């Protein structure tokens, strides 16, 4: 009985992680204020989102062994550090008027954190819900899609 309760708390944690990193899909609200206030081109600004999404996919594909080797807790912590540093760093980049730093922070750091943050809960939920693998994966993806 205790395992059943624990696995639902883990599911809620996974949804919370995906809600956090999925907020990156609300990126479009940044484009006009940054373009207007910084004078950067829409292409420059959107390139950061493109880099983030590409690296998120690549990181999710290649960090699977990292998650297996280090466990979901360490993986999620590293994901949070990378994603958080990327988000905070992008604010610093805007304050410094550095589009290059914006690409590195929002694009690269956040992208790596997003990819690792995506795979950590999904692989964990599949293990905790062997009898309901589709439900487990769907819960995590729901958190990611509902974030924006």
């Amino acid at each position: 009985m205790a395992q059943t309760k624990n696995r639902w708390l883990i599911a809620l944690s996974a949804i919370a992680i995906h809600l956090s990193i999925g907020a990156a899909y609300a990126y479009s609200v940044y484009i006009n204020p940054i373009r207007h206030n910084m004078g950067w081109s829409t292409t420059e600004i959107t390139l950061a989102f493109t880099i983030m999404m590409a690296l998120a996919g690549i990181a999710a594909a290649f960090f699977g062994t990292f998650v297996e080797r280090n466990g979901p807790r360490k993986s999620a912590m590293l994901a949070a550090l990378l994603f958080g540093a990327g988000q905070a760093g992008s604010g610093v980049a805007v304050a410094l008027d550095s589009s290059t730093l914006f690409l590195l922070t929002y694009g690269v750091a956040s992208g790596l954190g997003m990819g690792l943050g995506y795979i950590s809960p999904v692989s964990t939920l599949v293990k905790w819900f062997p009898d309901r693998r589709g439900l487990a994966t769907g819960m995590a993806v729901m958190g990611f899609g509902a974030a924006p």
Side-chain angles (χ1 to χ4, degrees), residues 128-143:
W128 276 86
F129 287 84
D131 56 326
R132 296 178 175 169
R133 294 167 53 119
L135 173 68
T137 305
M139 286 187 293
V141 173
M142 174 200 66

Side-chain angles (χ1 to χ4, degrees), residues 30-52:
Y30 297 139
I31 295 172
N32 286 336
I34 292 172
R35 187 172 45 82
H36 176 73
N37 292 318
M38 306 310 298
W40 301 348
S41 72
T42 303
T43 303
E44 276 181 301
I45 301 163
T46 306
L47 181 59
F49 182 77
T50 304
I51 291 169
M52 182 206 302

